[in-house]
Amino acid sequence: MIKISVTLLTFLFSMAVKAQDDSTMIKKITDDVLTNGKAYEYLRVLCKDVGPRLSGSPQAAKAVNVTKKMMEDLKVDKVWLQECMVPHWVRGKKEEAKIIFKDGKTYKLDVTALGNSIGTGDKGVKANVIEVKNFDELNKLGEKVIKGNIVFYNFPMNPTYINTFRAYGESGRYRFNGPSQAAKYGAVGCIVRSLASNVNDYPHTGVMGYNDSFPKIPAVAISTLDANYLSTALKNKTEKQVFFRTNCQMLDSVKSYNVIGEIRGTEFPDEIITVGGHLDSWDLAEGAHDDGSGCVQSIEVLRVFQALGIKPKRTIRAVMFMNEENGGKGGDKYYEEAKAKGEKHIFAMESDEGGFTPRGFGVSGNKEAVAKIMSWANLFRPYGVNDIHEGGGGADIGDLKNLGTVLSNIYPDSQRYFDIHHAATDTFEAVSERELKLAAAMMASMIYLVDKYGL
Ligand SMILES: [Zn+2]
């Protein structure tokens, strides 16, 4: 009896010491990132010295070189480029759009072409507008009403969802599939209410995709303010037609790269832990929150390991994925190569939800691994990170689940993300240095624990 108690006590004591060690280490990591971290300066370089980084653009190519150099300067074990072919879509001249009223007056609308859309040509598109709230309404109207007209999807993000990504997912269907669904009934153009949680003049772009069974029609996003204005004009029947002109086109695919930096593991170098964000961004702004933040936070993870002399047991990789926004070719390539080489990817984390205050992590994978990660919850509470939940991952790392990889994402506060997401307002100034760094520190801490204990 006494023997059992002593064993139990020793065990409990060793657990307590471990937890103490871990919380001390997490504090050390966080203190260093908040004091000496370079994530914010890296972000300034990406936003101000490089700028918008749409796949195939000269800035995307520059971003590859710049982030490669950042990681080389950290003197990590290896930095390399992973080649991939990416779509090369260009916006061309700025879009024009207006309502033409029955009395001959016009009203300028703020629109932006959707990514991967065809352009209208010089003549533009001029037609009547049919407003629908959703696909059900569209299907009910059918060809008889839709043919020869512009379809306007006016589906707002649902403000009652506290996790704004849920609302984005719900509304996103109209941006991605809406144009082809409208073309199915003979529409000649498509206008989509911007996926934005606020009402203002800034249209939000984003990717759309054509269904090859239907004609390709040009598609634009309209600012939320102008979506409301257009809707009112339609209700009052004061409008005659809407005109828009876009000059975008899809060019031939071009060669680009994922950028990868690695600290090699000392005990289990074949077990790979990936942390990443995507290097490409939309072209309307600097891609600061989306996803410059995720990139520089991932580089920061390498920096703090190097700065504190943490020699990981497992291999830690920071990956700047190319082409998340309008093709996902970088993520595809990373997965294909991992699979072809038979690499053992035990854990992958993506940061692609903005550089805001960290609230938690999403985690997906085998039960034991998820339970293990959740058992660390108390270590994160002192930092306001209280929400480790099941269900995690990201667009660039998603396929790794086929290799049995445990997937995760840093989950920041989401209330302001869709104010600026894919709009001209996603600039460096919209990112708080402190929030960006705190999230980076939490990411590094999670990676530290995964490396220490394995999954
Ligand atoms: Zn993104």
Side-chain angles (χ1 to χ4, degrees):
M1 197 60 185
I2 291 167
K3 220 177 186 179
I4 292 167
S5 299
V6 169
T7 314
L8 185 65
L9 278 176
T10 314
F11 173 73
L12 289 175
F13 181 71
S14 76
M15 291 293 284
V17 167
K18 255 187 196 168
Q20 185 61 48
D21 286 353
D22 289 338
S23 72
T24 303
M25 196 60 204
I26 289 173
K27 171 133 176 57
K28 207 169 158 189
I29 288 170
T30 306
D31 288 354
D32 189 72
V33 172
L34 292 177
T35 312
N36 305 314
K38 292 212 178 109
Y40 192 62
E41 170 57 14
Y42 292 150
L43 187 66
R44 189 197 62 74
V45 171
L46 267 190
C47 292
K48 300 301 181 190
D49 297 353
V50 179
R53 304 173 295 281
L54 193 54
S55 291
S57 66
Q59 296 98 315
K62 189 172 175 190
V64 165
N65 293 329
V66 161
T67 50
K68 179 169 178 273
K69 171 87 167 49
M70 285 172 185
M71 293 196 278
E72 282 166 353
D73 287 348
L74 295 174
K75 312 233 177 307
V76 295
D77 297 314
K78 190 179 166 192
V79 179
W80 74 101
L81 303 182
Q82 186 176 47
E83 190 181 310
C84 56
M85 294 302 286
V86 297
H88 187 196
W89 179 83
V90 291
R91 184 172 301 280
K93 264 201 328 247
K94 188 166 163 42
E95 302 82 354
E96 292 163 69
K98 61 187 173 190
I99 302 178
I100 303 158
F101 291 102
K102 285 176 180 152
D103 63 7
K105 289 189 179 141
T106 60
Y107 177 86
K108 179 182 159 293
L109 297 169
D110 286 309
V111 303
T112 184
L114 291 181
N116 293 1
S117 172
I118 61 163
T120 60
D122 280 350
K123 273 180 69 184
V125 170
K126 188 156 70 166
N128 292 323
V129 172
I130 308 296
E131 175 179 341
V132 296
K133 289 274 176 294
N134 52 44
F135 288 137
D136 278 352
E137 275 191 27
L138 178 85
N139 294 333
K140 271 189 201 127
L141 295 175
E143 190 174 331
K144 163 166 114 272
V145 176
I146 302 297
K147 197 167 178 174
N149 295 319
I150 295 169
V151 166
F152 165 38
Y153 292 97
N154 194 12
F155 186 98
M157 284 179 70
N158 188 330
T160 68
Y161 298 161
I162 300 310
N163 180 344
T164 59
F165 285 88
R166 186 178 163 206
Y168 179 67
E170 195 176 74
S171 310
R173 291 178 292 168
Y174 299 98
R175 189 189 75 203
F176 193 84
N177 300 317
S180 280
Q181 288 305 304
K184 182 166 85 177
Y185 298 118
V188 294
C190 181
I191 299 175
V192 182
R193 182 190 180 93
S194 284
L195 303 183
S197 46
N198 53 352
V199 175
N200 65 19
D201 278 332
Y202 293 98
H204 297 226
T205 191
V207 73
M208 56 79 60
Y210 287 116
N211 178 332
D212 289 336
S213 312
F214 309 114
K216 291 182 178 178
I217 59 170
V220 296
I222 185 169
S223 75
T224 43
L225 198 59
D226 281 348
N228 293 348
Y229 188 90
L230 176 58
S231 184
T232 303
L234 290 165
K235 259 181 217 105
N236 296 340
K237 302 192 189 309
T238 50
E239 118 299 346
K240 185 163 167 254
Q241 284 179 314
V242 163
F243 166 84
F244 71 85
R245 177 161 43 216
T246 58
N247 308 288
C248 46
Q249 56 178 319
M250 185 65 87
L251 306 175
D252 289 341
S253 293
V254 297
K255 196 194 287 182
S256 187
Y257 305 92
N258 295 327
V259 188
I260 308 176
E262 175 179 289
I263 305 176
R264 203 148 167 79
T266 52
E267 279 181 51
F268 313 107
D270 294 339
E271 293 191 16
I272 297 163
I273 295 171
T274 295
V275 58
H278 64 86
L279 194 52
D280 63 309
S281 80
W282 283 109
D283 54 336
L284 302 179
E286 297 163 353
H289 278 288
D290 187 15
D291 185 24
S293 292
C295 291
V296 300
Q297 288 168 331
S298 300
I299 301 175
E300 183 70 37
V301 172
L302 298 186
R303 190 207 64 81
V304 72
F305 270 62
Q306 294 291 81
L308 298 180
I310 302 170
K311 299 262 176 261
K313 296 183 199 177
R314 298 167 168 86
T315 293
I316 316 270
R317 273 188 196 167
V319 183
M320 317 291 108
F321 292 98
M322 186 52 74
N323 186 228
E324 188 274 344
E325 294 292 4
N326 66 332
K329 299 298 182 192
D332 291 351
K333 181 68 185 201
Y334 189 71
Y335 165 68
E336 281 158 21
E337 199 167 306
K339 190 178 165 204
K341 288 183 171 169
E343 288 177 349
K344 188 174 178 192
H345 285 257
I346 66 158
F347 183 77
M349 177 189 288
E350 185 151 349
S351 170
D352 185 19
E353 294 169 42
F356 295 101
T357 305
R359 298 285 189 221
F361 295 94
V363 195
S364 288
N366 71 74
K367 259 198 180 129
E368 298 76 49
V370 171
K372 196 176 207 177
I373 290 172
M374 288 195 175
S375 77
W376 303 329
N378 278 334
L379 293 166
F380 291 94
R381 290 195 206 286
Y383 305 92
V385 172
N386 295 312
D387 183 9
I388 302 184
H389 55 264
E390 191 153 8
D396 295 298
I397 58 172
D399 283 345
L400 289 172
K401 74 172 180 299
N402 301 328
L403 306 179
T405 310
V406 175
L407 303 183
S408 176
N409 56 288
I410 179 86
Y411 173 58
D413 188 290
S414 72
Q415 302 314 313
R416 282 173 287 145
Y417 189 50
F418 293 99
D419 291 351
I420 49 88
H421 179 254
H422 295 182
T425 42
D426 184 10
T427 58
F428 177 65
E429 292 75 11
V431 177
S432 146
E433 175 170 10
R434 188 155 180 85
E435 292 179 3
L436 179 80
K437 284 179 168 176
L438 187 60
M442 294 301 101
M443 290 164 63
S445 299
M446 180 58 84
I447 302 280
Y448 170 81
L449 293 171
V450 170
D451 172 62
K452 181 173 171 185
Y453 296 111
L455 288 176

